[in-house]
């Protein structure tokens, strides 16, 4: 009995990474995803900020789930989320000002990021604290993984660098971590690239290249998550759900998340 | 004795085939190729060959991966390859040509289902992808005849870049005289800087007339496209005819209007739709040339109009024979 419970908790964590990856499978929070993934460091920074906000807000909302009246739950959730976003923004501004500049408006916009409100509404508002925390962590890790992959690829192809500006994140741990490693510029390491006129493909750091990378990654993730026996759920409230046609949740999962 | 055959319509077929039409387009493109080799040297031919080869190979490989029947025999990939090359400067690094060809065929054409399913022109989109990715390489043009060693200049600005410097509020004729512009015959025969297939106006016009004579294209789109640009340029220059002629013969206007805006898959079906499409292309081209910081706007204009083509088709659906509007029907009753 206890083992089964442990298994399901583990599942709450892992589901967010591939099977229900918030960006690539649920297609939530795409605006921030496309905007900040011009470099790996920006993607990682955004991802970490979202993980913190998501875990904290999921925990608090789960704790308050019986105290919040159903009719005003959305405003209540938004206030909790906004409080954590403010904290995160202040910390980033104080310790990693470079990242704050790079992320710009998208850092405060985490408040309205669909992933966070979506998890609060679909999970944390109905489930116990530990499960909600793990759900938040899993979703956050899935989001960060997607952003880092996109950022790594777009940066490599679009500007010819790897992990450029990583020192600004590492500087939290002190000065000159890893001997002041601040990313690799391919054109410095391989001067022959310039001679062959192998310039970076600027398209990939522009929005159009972002959409293209996003689409290809979604296709790959769909392939990875394919054939896991997820049948389209048919429940009474599916008719009212705008996502019903794209929903691939198992009926029992939906019971837990949707109607419990 | 003949049997009675009962089949669904259409019953009268023209005998046109995709391969035949594409072959006609290739024939129509040959004069411009000869002109390009004369003006920019064997390097122009190399760019065309690389572009065609990579387009055909990309088509073959992507059809194979998608497990669809092989379509390289219909020559549409060859046409895309030639048109893409015509939109590039003759001295562009060859790997960029390959990249553009892969983007045009694999992403724009085959990912949407192949010939006839693409919603924008593959060659135009390939050019735009390259222009956005490698703006320096795409806008550094070799000087005409530089390959023969008869000129000192290796690269040159396009006439359009010089034209865009002209202040339309001032004395246009005086400014054109002082700007370093080629003469009108030079423009007409293509001895100017530019993409390798777009420079020689006369060769493109010969190709266009051939296509018209063979009934491959209708003149509706080219005429309304070029006419709109001419009209707007006349108005903008307060009736300066020379300025208008320079605008018409420099840049990719003729190439775009004759060969790329007339693409069957991405243009409207009816004649009124085609005229509307051409006027839209013309307005967008003129607006981009006159008011934006880009010197040339033909490719963007055609791509934007490609995207609105379904809407044009919707408002210009031809009336079926004998059809009476509902309102009139009520009045009659």
């Amino acid at each position: 009995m206890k083992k089964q419970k442990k298994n399901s908790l583990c599942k709450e964590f892992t589901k967010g990474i591939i099977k229900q990856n918030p960006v690539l499978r649920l297609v939530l929070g795409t605006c921030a995803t496309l905007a900040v993934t011009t470099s790996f460091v920006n993607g990682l920074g955004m991802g970490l900020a979202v993980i913190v906000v998501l875990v904290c807000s999921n925990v608090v909302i789960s704790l308050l789930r019986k105290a919040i009246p159903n009719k005003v739950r959305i405003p209540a959730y938004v206030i909790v989320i906004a409080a954590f976003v403010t904290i995160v923004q202040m910390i980033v501004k104080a310790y990693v000002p470079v990242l704050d500049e790079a992320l710009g408006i998208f850092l405060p916009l985490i408040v309205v990021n669909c992933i966070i409100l979506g998890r609060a509404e679909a999970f944390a508002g109905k489930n116990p604290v530990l499960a909600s925390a793990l759900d938040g962590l899993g979703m956050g890790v899935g989001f960060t993984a997607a952003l880092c992959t996109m950022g790594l690829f777009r940066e490599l192809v679009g500007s010819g660098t790897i992990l450029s500006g990583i020192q600004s994140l590492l500087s939290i741990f002190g000065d000159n971590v890893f001997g002041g490693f601040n990313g690799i510029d391919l054109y410095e390491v391989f001067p022959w690239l310039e001679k062959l006129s192998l310039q970076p493909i600027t398209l990939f750091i522009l929005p159009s290249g972002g959409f293209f990378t996003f689409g290809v990654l979604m296709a790959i993730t769909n392939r990875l998550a394919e054939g896991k026996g997820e049948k389209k759920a048919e429940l009474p409230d599916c008719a009212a759900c705008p996502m019903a046609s794209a929903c691939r949740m198992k009926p029992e999962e939906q019971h837990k998340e949707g109607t419990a | 004795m003949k049997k009675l055959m009962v089949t669904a319509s259409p019953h009268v077929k023209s005998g046109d085939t995709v391969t035949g039409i594409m072959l006609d387009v290739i024939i129509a493109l040959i004069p411009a190729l000869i002109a390009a080799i004369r003006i920019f040297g064997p390097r122009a031919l190399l760019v065309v060959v690389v572009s065609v080869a990579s387009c055909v190979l990309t088509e073959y490989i992507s059809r194979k991966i998608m497990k669809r029947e092989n379509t390289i025999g219909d020559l549409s990939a060859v046409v895309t390859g030639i048109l893409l090359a015509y939109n590039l400067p003759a001295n562009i690094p060859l790997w960029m040509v390959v990249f553009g060809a892969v983007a045009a065929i694999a992403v724009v054409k085959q990912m949407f289902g192949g010939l006839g399913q693409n919603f924008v022109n593959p060659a135009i989109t390939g050019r735009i992808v390259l222009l956005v990715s490698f703006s320096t390489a795409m806008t550094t043009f070799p000087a005409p005849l530089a390959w023969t060693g008869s000129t000192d200049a290796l690269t040159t600005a396009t006439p359009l870049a010089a034209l865009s410097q002209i202040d339309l509020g001032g004395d246009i004729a005086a400014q054109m005289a002082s700007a370093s512009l080629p003469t009108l015959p030079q423009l007409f025969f293509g001895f100017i800087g530019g993409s390798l297939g777009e420079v020689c106006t006369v060769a493109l016009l010969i190709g266009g007339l051939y296509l018209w004579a063979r009934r491959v294209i209708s003149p509706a789109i080219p005429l309304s496209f070029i006419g709109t640009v001419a009209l707007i340029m006349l108005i903008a220059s307060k009736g300066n005819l020379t300025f208008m002629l320079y605008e018409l013969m420099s840049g990719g206007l003729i190439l775009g209007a004759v060969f790329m805006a007339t693409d069957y898959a991405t243009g409207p079906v009816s004649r009124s739709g085609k005229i509307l499409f051409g006027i839209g292309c013309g307005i967008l081209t003129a607006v981009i040339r006159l008011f934006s910081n880009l010197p040339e706007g033909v490719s963007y204009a055609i791509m934007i109009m490609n995207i609105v083509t379904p809407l044009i088709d919707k408002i210009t659906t031809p009336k079926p024979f004998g059809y009476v509007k509902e309102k009139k029907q009520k009045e009659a009753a």
Side-chain angles (χ1 to χ4, degrees):
Chain A
M1 191 69 199
K2 211 175 177 187
K3 202 183 169 194
Q4 210 177 2
K5 205 183 165 195
K6 210 175 173 185
N7 265 344
S8 78
L9 276 179
C10 188
K11 226 175 170 184
E12 300 303 354
F13 173 70
T14 53
K15 71 171 186 239
I17 294 171
I18 293 265
K19 227 168 107 186
Q20 291 187 33
N21 187 301
V23 198
L24 300 170
R25 292 281 284 169
L26 308 181
V27 207
L28 297 174
T30 47
C31 177
T33 306
L34 291 164
V36 304
T37 52
T38 49
S39 77
F40 176 84
V41 173
N42 288 354
L44 182 63
M46 182 74 186
L48 291 176
V50 167
I51 291 181
V52 173
V53 174
L54 194 49
V55 172
C56 296
S57 67
N58 260 12
V59 167
V60 170
I61 288 166
S62 174
L63 281 170
L64 295 174
R65 70 185 187 279
K66 281 170 189 143
I68 299 172
N70 203 30
K71 275 184 184 164
V72 292
R73 66 187 193 282
I74 301 284
Y77 295 165
V78 172
I79 287 173
V80 172
I81 296 165
F84 284 113
V85 172
T86 313
I87 296 170
V88 167
Q89 197 194 354
M90 284 173 167
I91 293 173
V92 173
K93 265 202 164 91
Y95 292 99
V96 209
V98 191
L99 187 68
D100 178 64
E101 248 168 58
L103 296 180
I105 187 70
F106 291 100
L107 194 54
L109 275 185
I110 297 177
V111 179
V112 287
N113 193 313
C114 298
I115 299 171
I116 295 164
L117 196 59
R119 287 336 284 175
E121 171 73 8
F123 199 91
K126 293 152 193 156
N127 285 287
V129 180
L130 187 58
S132 298
L134 283 173
D135 173 80
L137 189 63
M139 286 288 164
V141 170
F143 180 72
T144 313
L147 258 63
C148 287
T149 318
M150 275 182 78
L152 192 68
F153 176 76
R154 290 179 70 187
E155 185 188 338
L156 175 68
V157 185
S159 35
T161 55
I162 300 170
L163 311 186
S164 118
I166 189 86
Q167 196 58 229
S168 65
L169 274 186
L170 292 174
S171 64
I172 312 168
F173 307 110
D175 287 337
N176 284 332
V177 193
F178 300 131
F181 176 75
N182 201 12
I184 305 163
D185 186 347
L186 286 184
Y187 292 88
E188 271 172 29
V189 184
F190 306 111
W192 49 267
L193 284 175
E194 199 86 52
K195 274 190 193 129
L196 289 174
S197 71
L198 281 168
Q199 298 156 16
I201 304 168
T202 327
L203 179 82
F204 281 96
I205 52 171
L206 297 174
S208 42
F211 275 105
F212 183 76
T213 317
F214 188 43
V216 172
L217 264 185
M218 266 170 110
I220 295 172
T221 331
N222 274 352
R223 193 70 194 254
L224 286 177
E226 209 176 44
K228 297 217 164 148
E230 287 169 83
K231 272 185 201 134
K232 200 173 153 187
E234 277 178 31
L235 289 165
D237 30 318
C238 272
C241 172
M243 291 297 287
S245 61
C247 182
R248 285 201 189 164
M249 250 182 237
K250 281 182 203 162
E252 61 268 27
E253 264 177 38
Q254 245 192 5
H255 256 304
K256 196 166 56 190
E257 295 195 8
T259 48
Chain B
M1 207 181 118
K2 276 184 185 171
K3 275 185 192 169
L4 177 69
M5 301 284 278
V6 183
T7 55
S9 63
H11 303 292
V12 184
K13 290 168 190 167
S14 70
D16 283 344
T17 59
V18 175
T19 315
I21 288 172
M22 292 299 165
L23 200 61
D24 268 339
V25 177
I26 293 170
I27 293 169
L29 283 164
I30 285 175
L33 178 64
I34 296 167
I37 297 169
R38 172 75 189 92
I39 297 162
F40 297 114
R43 173 77 203 201
L45 184 64
L46 182 65
V47 172
V48 175
V49 169
V50 168
S51 173
V52 170
S54 36
C55 274
V56 173
L57 196 67
T58 311
E59 173 125 333
Y60 180 77
I61 294 172
S62 36
R63 298 297 287 199
K64 199 112 211 174
I65 292 174
M66 293 173 183
K67 298 194 177 70
R68 291 177 179 154
E69 85 277 26
N70 184 9
T71 52
I72 58 170
D74 68 13
L75 298 181
S76 63
V78 178
V79 170
T80 302
I82 299 177
L83 284 174
L84 175 66
Y86 279 16
N87 276 293
L88 308 173
N91 55 356
I92 188 171
L94 293 176
W95 76 272
M96 291 181 189
V97 182
V98 178
F99 177 73
V102 172
I105 295 291
V107 180
V108 181
K109 193 173 163 198
Q110 294 303 341
M111 277 192 187
F112 289 93
L115 183 68
Q117 308 287 325
N118 52 305
F119 68 100
V120 286
N121 185 302
I124 286 268
T125 317
R127 174 198 149 87
I128 291 174
V129 164
L130 288 178
L131 189 63
V132 169
S133 300
F134 316 106
S135 51
T136 324
M138 281 292 286
T139 50
T140 314
F141 299 103
L145 298 177
W147 64 286
T148 58
S150 60
T151 49
D152 294 334
L154 286 177
T155 58
T156 180
T158 61
L160 268 184
L163 284 175
S164 66
Q165 300 298 318
I166 288 176
D167 172 23
L168 290 170
D171 184 355
I172 296 165
Q175 288 183 69
M176 283 181 70
S178 62
S180 57
L181 285 168
T183 60
L184 276 175
Q186 273 179 330
L187 267 175
F188 191 62
F189 291 105
F191 291 91
I192 53 170
S195 301
L196 67 92
E198 73 182 19
V199 288
C200 186
T201 306
V202 60
L204 293 169
L205 289 180
I206 292 171
L209 287 175
Y210 172 79
L211 287 183
W212 184 25
R214 297 274 299 164
R215 295 286 179 270
V216 173
I217 61 169
S218 99
I221 290 175
L223 289 186
S224 57
F225 189 168
I226 298 171
T228 310
V229 174
L231 190 70
I232 296 176
M233 289 303 170
L234 266 185
I235 296 170
S237 64
K238 299 184 210 75
N240 190 324
L241 212 62
T242 335
F243 179 81
M244 181 205 86
L245 282 176
Y246 269 95
E247 282 284 354
L248 292 192
M249 292 199 288
S250 42
L253 178 60
I254 310 280
L255 176 68
V258 174
F259 289 100
M260 291 191 284
T262 51
D263 179 3
Y264 292 163
T266 57
V269 180
S270 66
R271 168 168 293 185
S272 52
K274 282 179 178 160
I275 292 171
L276 211 60
F277 181 88
I279 292 173
C281 286
I283 292 174
L284 286 170
T285 303
V287 164
I288 293 173
R289 280 191 184 178
L290 290 172
F291 299 110
S292 82
N293 52 7
L294 293 165
E296 176 61 309
V298 171
S299 46
Y300 291 103
I302 296 177
M303 188 168 87
I304 292 170
M305 291 312 288
N306 281 167
I307 295 169
V308 298
T309 292
L311 301 176
I312 297 177
D313 269 337
K314 212 170 192 176
I315 60 167
T316 57
T317 315
K319 201 176 75 173
F321 180 69
Y323 176 83
V324 185
K325 270 192 183 170
E326 254 178 58
K327 217 178 178 183
K328 277 186 187 165
Q329 250 174 350
K330 265 181 203 165
E331 276 168 20

